[in-house]
Amino acid sequence: MAVQLKRSNVAGTLSLTPLIDVVFLLLIFFLVTSEFEDEERQLDIVLPSATSAVPMTSKPREVVVDINADGTVFLRGKATPLKELELLLQKAVASNPTNQTVVIRADQNASFQPVVNVMDVCNRTGVSDYSVSTKDGPAG
């Protein structure tokens, strides 16, 4: 008893030629555009100078300010007076005017006044994106 297989009409009428044409066109498009990109990088260009040129903004770096239980402000592991912190934040804002962030990490036993002082420095220097860091878990 031989088993007879029936062929579907849909598979017989399906043409892969247009699909292959589209794939080849996409492949050629991406090859051509990537080659132009490589050519642009190989050009030896000396950029002109201008007196009103604005430097490119660097990738924003998060500034972390620590406050110990005594209320001393630390920046990068060194005790930092508020005036020096203000100067450093002004430099950071100058290089990243729109997206400079500051994270304030205060000891749970510290008074709130040093935290408010650092927030005030952030507001004076133009840093609007600052936050106070906490840890998960029950308070106490």
Side-chain angles (χ1 to χ4, degrees):
M1 183 156 135
V3 177
Q4 195 173 19
L5 298 175
K6 294 183 180 180
R7 290 191 173 198
S8 171
N9 289 339
V10 175
T13 60
L14 183 65
S15 176
L16 294 178
T17 306
L19 179 65
I20 293 171
D21 288 343
V22 169
V23 170
F24 280 131
L25 284 174
L26 286 173
L27 180 66
I28 290 170
F29 173 76
F30 287 121
L31 286 174
V32 168
T33 56
S34 65
E35 194 164 317
F36 283 134
E37 187 174 312
D38 289 339
E39 287 177 4
E40 288 176 1
R41 291 183 188 158
Q42 293 173 357
L43 293 176
D44 188 22
I45 296 176
V46 177
L47 296 175
S49 61
T51 57
S52 63
V54 177
M56 291 178 55
T57 59
S58 61
K59 185 177 178 183
R61 186 172 177 190
E62 192 175 69
V63 176
V64 179
V65 178
D66 295 318
I67 301 172
N68 68 2
D70 298 334
T72 307
V73 176
F74 290 89
L75 185 65
R76 297 183 186 116
K78 292 192 299 187
T80 307
L82 289 177
K83 289 291 183 187
E84 187 176 336
L85 177 67
E86 187 170 355
L87 292 174
L88 292 170
L89 287 181
Q90 284 174 349
K91 289 179 185 177
V93 168
S95 62
N96 299 303
T98 58
N99 51 2
Q100 181 61 52
T101 60
V102 174
V103 176
I104 304 167
R105 297 177 21 163
D107 189 274
Q108 67 180 1
N109 297 323
S111 67
F112 195 63
Q113 188 58 49
V115 177
V116 172
N117 291 341
V118 172
M119 289 179 179
D120 188 40
V121 168
C122 290
N123 289 330
R124 282 197 309 260
T125 57
V127 176
S128 60
D129 187 13
Y130 57 86
S131 61
V132 178
S133 180
T134 61
K135 69 175 184 174
D136 289 338

